[in-house]
């Protein structure tokens, strides 16, 4: 059984994620790690629909991972929180949120297929989030697989620091490969003829070395070697004493209880602790404070309640109704937007006659659990639209809606989700001046870096426009998507700065600045050189 993590326990604890292109054997590897470490007694199989971590009926039916899962296992020297992530590209956003809390990752590559398209996407994400990565090249029991040619492919297409860690201890070529990744290490190697384990641990942490293990998860080949490598070449993070936590997933248990999955990144979280999103930059009407009613450590479908979760722990918290994936608690700040965005748009057709507003409220629950599942209400047409990653996800959403809410829906023809941005810097001016109303807003619109999203700022003197009006303008900029002028698609990758504005002493009301702000954005976009993404 996994041991309780506590301050007196000196054992190493790491949070490990398993990632792969679909069908590379990721869930099978997770199953093998749990079995070989003694965490489970029976070795399940995806094709037999009894894998320990494929707990949802949809997952077992399709043989793919749809929702990220959590499990625990232990070796002689370390305790591991294992997070198994979806491999299908349609569920990539679920995987990407999990990356934010990992200490280390194992990237699974099929020995028969080599590096596939989604594998490179995963590699880029691991690189962006600076996650130290081990590689397990799976299915090496299949005819035609060749470890040497696969290693060359890994070095050519992923990184030159991919090194075979399955060689005998003391192998000089192994030390030479390790030394080649760092000039200072090479100097020491030329003097001593070896590279110390502590140095290898550091080079892995710095993403200069990527240990590679070859085997077959289904036949438990190479699993002990991978476990030994994780035990020898990882290290536990050092966390601050101040409380902090990162929310990475919202889910519901079989009874419908809302679960907030988070990783504690500082201090200790205890049952009945008061949690809040209170920050200097959070609007007063958006601040919440709620108690952590229960802390659950999950392993598959089962969980054990704990009284406290120290730094490094991953727990599911009940009692929180307003948390969101990507949110920071304590000293942690909110994450920037995800790299992966939904690419398809569908109209939701309520075939069973459900009222659109009732349906919208229910669908918002699914959006809460997966923020990249965008639910959009078209007020003019009184239609619900859903934006997501692909057709497999669409089928899963349709099934979830039926099973969870008892609603029957279909979807109209799909269309690609476009975005718009600008290529030059412009100023947009918005006036709102009907009888007994007045507001004026000047906005500077600047192109941003690809993937930067929308950023808002104020650079307006308070003697020109009072601070309360400035805050109101920023609120109106953030409160809704603003549409471009080419195709009416949402704008992105821009910085919008409030540079000037005017209010009337008697006639200005809050709603006046909403209209002036919208008009300033629109006028600026009309003057800019627009780009369709």
């Amino acid at each position: 059984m996994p041991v309780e993590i506590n301050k007196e326990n000196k054992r190493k604890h790491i949070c490990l994620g398993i990632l792969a292109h679909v069908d590379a054997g990721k869930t099978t590897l997770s199953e093998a790690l749990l079995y070989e470490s003694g965490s489970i007694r029976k070795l399940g199989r995806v094709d037999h629909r009894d894998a320990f971590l494929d707990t949802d009926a949809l997952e077992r039916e399709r043989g793919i991972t749809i929702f990220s899962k959590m499990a625990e296992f232990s070796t002689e020297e370390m305790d591991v929180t294992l997070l198994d992530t979806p491999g299908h590209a349609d569920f990539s956003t679920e995987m990407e949120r999990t990356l934010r809390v990992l200490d280390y990752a194992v990237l699974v590559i099929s020995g028969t297929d080599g590096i596939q398209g989604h594998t490179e996407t995963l590699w880029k994400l691991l690189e962006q989030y600076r996650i130290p990565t081990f590689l397990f090249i799976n299915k090496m029991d299949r005819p035609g697989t060749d470890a040497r040619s696969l290693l060359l492919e890994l070095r050519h297409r992923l990184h030159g620091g991919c090194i075979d860690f399955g060689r005998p201890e003391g192998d000089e070529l192994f030390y030479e490969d390790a030394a080649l990744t760092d000039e200072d290490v090479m100097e020491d190697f030329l003097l001593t003829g070896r590279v110390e384990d502590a140095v290898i641990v550091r080079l892995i942490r710095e993403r200069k070395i990527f240990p590679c293990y070859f085997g077959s998860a289904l036949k438990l080949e190479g699993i002990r070697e991978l476990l030994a490598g994780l035990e020898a070449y990882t290290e536990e993070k050092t966390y601050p004493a101040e409380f902090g936590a990162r929310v990475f997933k919202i889910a519901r248990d079989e009874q419908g209880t809302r679960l907030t999955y988070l990783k504690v990144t500082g201090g200790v979280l205890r049952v009945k602790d008061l949690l809040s999103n209170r920050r200097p930059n959070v609007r007063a009407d958006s601040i919440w404070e709620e108690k952590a009613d229960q802390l659950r450590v999950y392993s598959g479908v089962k969980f054990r309640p704990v009284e406290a979760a120290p730094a490094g722990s991953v727990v599911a918290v009940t009692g929180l109704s307003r948390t969101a994936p990507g949110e920071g608690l304590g000293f942690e700040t909110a994450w920037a937007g995800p790299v992966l965005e939904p690419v398809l748009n569908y109209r939701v057709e309520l075939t069973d006659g459900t009222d659109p507003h009732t349906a919208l409220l229910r669908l918002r629950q699914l959006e809460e659990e997966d923020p990249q599942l965008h639910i959009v209400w078209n007020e003019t047409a009184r239609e619900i639209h859903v934006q997501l990653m692909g057709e497999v996800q669409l089928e899963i959403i349709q099934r979830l809606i039926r099973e969870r809410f008892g609603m029957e829906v279909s979807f109209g023809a799909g269309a690609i989700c476009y975005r718009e941005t600008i290529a030059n810097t412009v100023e947009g001016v918005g006036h709102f001046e009907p009888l007994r109303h007045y507001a004026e807003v000047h906005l500077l619109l600047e192109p941003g870096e690809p993937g930067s999203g929308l950023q808002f700022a104020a650079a307006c003197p308070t003697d020109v426009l009072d601070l309360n009006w400035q805050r109101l303008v920023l609120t109106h900029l953030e409160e809704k998507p603003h549409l471009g002028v080419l195709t009416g698609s949402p704008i992105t990758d821009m910085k919008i700065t409030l540079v000037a504005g005017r209010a009337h002493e008697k006639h200005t009301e809050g709603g006046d600045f909403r209209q002036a702000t919208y008009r300033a954005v629109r006028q600026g976009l009309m003057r800019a050189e627009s780009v369709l993404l």
Side-chain angles (χ1 to χ4, degrees):
M1 288 292 291
V3 299
E4 192 89 10
I5 310 297
N6 56 60
K7 296 220 173 185
E8 289 69 40
N9 183 5
K10 301 302 181 183
R11 295 164 56 84
K12 175 170 64 180
H13 176 246
I14 63 170
C15 183
L16 178 72
I18 309 289
L19 297 86
H21 183 99
V22 68
D23 291 332
K26 173 186 53 58
T27 300
T28 305
L29 176 62
S30 299
E31 196 85 6
L33 291 170
L34 293 170
Y35 179 79
E36 199 66 59
S37 63
S39 182
I40 58 176
R41 295 181 180 179
K42 179 187 174 186
L43 193 63
R45 288 179 54 159
V46 174
D47 54 342
H48 291 174
R49 300 183 181 182
D50 61 354
F52 181 74
L53 289 176
D54 278 349
T55 56
D56 190 272
L58 288 170
E59 295 177 313
R60 293 189 169 181
E61 184 180 306
R62 286 182 168 268
I64 60 172
T65 301
I66 299 171
F67 310 103
S68 59
K69 297 296 193 316
M70 174 180 168
E72 292 184 296
F73 71 84
S74 298
T75 66
E76 289 184 5
E77 298 179 11
M78 68 174 180
D79 302 302
V80 178
T81 297
L82 179 70
L83 297 177
D84 183 23
T85 67
H88 198 287
D90 280 16
F91 308 102
S92 296
T93 52
E94 176 91 358
M95 171 275 302
E96 188 182 355
R97 289 197 304 276
T98 307
L99 293 183
R100 310 276 190 150
V101 300
L102 299 182
D103 300 324
Y104 291 87
V106 175
L107 179 62
V108 187
I109 294 172
S110 169
T112 56
D113 299 313
I115 297 172
Q116 298 164 280
H118 191 54
T119 310
E120 293 185 295
T121 301
L122 294 171
W123 186 261
K124 289 174 183 175
L125 288 169
L126 290 165
E127 184 176 35
Q128 174 166 331
Y129 294 125
R130 302 295 304 163
I131 299 172
T133 304
F134 290 66
L135 290 91
F136 186 79
I137 299 83
N138 194 24
K139 304 184 181 180
M140 293 302 294
D141 57 319
R142 304 279 182 89
T145 54
D146 180 68
R148 179 172 176 77
S149 62
L150 284 165
L151 187 62
L152 291 174
E153 182 185 9
L154 295 173
R155 290 179 175 178
H156 176 66
R157 295 182 61 183
L158 298 184
H159 196 283
C162 293
I163 298 174
D164 183 359
F165 269 55
R167 296 172 181 170
E169 189 174 344
D171 186 295
E172 188 173 342
L173 286 176
F174 168 78
Y175 290 131
E176 185 177 335
D177 285 344
L180 283 168
T181 64
D182 186 278
E183 288 186 13
D184 293 336
V185 175
M186 175 56 79
E187 289 183 13
D188 291 339
F189 168 71
L190 292 174
L191 292 173
T192 64
R194 63 176 288 120
V195 180
E196 298 298 327
D197 284 355
V199 174
I200 293 175
V201 169
R202 174 178 63 82
L203 293 173
I204 293 171
R205 187 183 69 242
E206 294 174 355
R207 287 183 51 84
K208 293 181 178 180
I209 286 181
F210 302 90
C212 299
Y213 295 86
F214 295 82
S216 168
L218 189 62
K219 295 186 176 180
L220 298 178
E221 294 172 1
I223 304 304
R224 289 187 180 180
E225 290 79 1
L226 175 60
L227 282 170
L230 290 168
E231 201 169 49
Y233 298 114
T234 59
E235 59 184 2
E236 186 170 17
K237 280 189 175 181
T238 301
Y239 296 98
E242 181 185 359
F243 172 73
R246 295 175 178 173
V247 178
F248 68 96
K249 178 182 171 73
I250 303 296
R252 283 170 173 78
D253 66 12
E254 293 177 351
Q255 285 71 45
T257 304
R258 189 179 190 271
L259 303 174
T260 297
Y261 282 83
L262 56 81
K263 180 182 181 181
V264 182
T265 56
V268 179
L269 175 62
R270 294 181 173 83
V271 172
K272 301 304 179 185
D273 275 357
L274 190 66
L275 297 175
S276 175
N277 68 334
R278 188 180 298 277
R279 298 282 190 285
N281 60 343
V282 176
R283 299 200 314 268
D285 60 347
S286 300
I287 292 174
W288 56 263
E289 288 187 344
E290 296 178 321
K291 285 185 180 179
D293 285 343
Q294 190 179 40
L295 307 182
R296 300 179 178 181
V297 177
Y298 271 88
S299 201
V301 291
K302 296 181 179 179
F303 70 87
R304 56 187 175 87
V306 295
E307 289 297 312
S313 304
V314 175
V315 291
V317 184
T318 68
L320 306 180
S321 66
R322 297 180 63 183
T323 45
E327 191 167 18
L329 303 175
F331 68 79
E332 288 283 0
T333 56
W335 299 331
V339 173
L340 303 172
E341 287 283 345
V343 295
L344 294 173
N345 180 73
Y346 293 86
R347 184 180 71 255
V348 179
E349 298 174 348
L350 303 170
T351 55
D352 63 354
T354 302
D355 174 71
H357 288 289
T358 301
L360 185 64
L361 288 173
R362 293 172 177 173
L363 293 176
R364 292 288 185 208
Q365 274 193 34
L366 300 180
E367 184 182 44
E368 179 184 64
E369 295 168 19
D370 182 0
Q372 292 315 109
L373 173 69
H374 292 176
I375 305 297
V376 181
W377 170 250
N378 185 319
E379 181 64 45
T380 305
R382 292 183 60 79
E383 292 177 345
I384 302 171
H385 288 250
V386 58
Q387 297 175 359
L388 36 68
M389 296 294 287
E391 292 187 1
V392 175
Q393 188 184 12
L394 192 70
E395 293 176 29
I396 298 300
I397 291 300
Q398 187 176 32
R399 177 88 168 263
L400 281 174
I401 292 170
R402 181 187 304 121
E403 293 181 354
R404 187 180 294 188
F405 307 119
M407 289 167 44
E408 291 294 336
V409 303
S410 60
F411 299 94
I416 293 173
C417 292
Y418 290 101
R419 296 287 185 271
E420 295 183 26
T421 189
I422 58 175
N424 60 330
T425 299
V426 295
E427 184 174 332
V429 179
H431 285 93
F432 183 68
E433 198 173 357
L435 185 64
R436 294 188 181 133
H437 291 271
Y438 181 81
E440 181 180 326
V441 172
H442 294 242
L443 299 174
L444 187 70
L445 280 62
E446 302 171 89
E449 292 294 321
S452 60
L454 289 178
Q455 299 178 6
F456 306 108
C460 178
T462 53
D463 58 350
V464 174
L465 187 65
D466 285 348
L467 191 59
N468 63 315
W469 295 127
Q470 293 191 34
R471 287 173 177 159
L472 194 58
V473 171
L474 293 176
T475 297
H476 294 322
L477 284 171
E478 296 174 2
E479 70 188 358
K480 73 160 196 168
H482 299 279
L483 306 181
V485 297
L486 291 178
T487 62
S489 302
I491 58 172
T492 188
D493 297 347
M494 293 168 54
K495 182 178 181 181
I496 303 179
T497 306
L498 172 64
V499 293
R502 292 180 64 187
H504 192 280
E505 200 170 300
K506 293 183 178 179
H507 299 315
T508 299
E509 298 178 0
D512 300 345
F513 270 102
R514 174 183 284 111
Q515 296 301 322
T517 300
Y518 293 172
R519 293 178 182 194
V521 172
R522 186 73 178 173
Q523 202 238 10
L525 293 173
M526 294 291 288
R527 296 181 59 199
E529 180 187 343
S530 293
V531 178
L532 184 64
L533 302 177

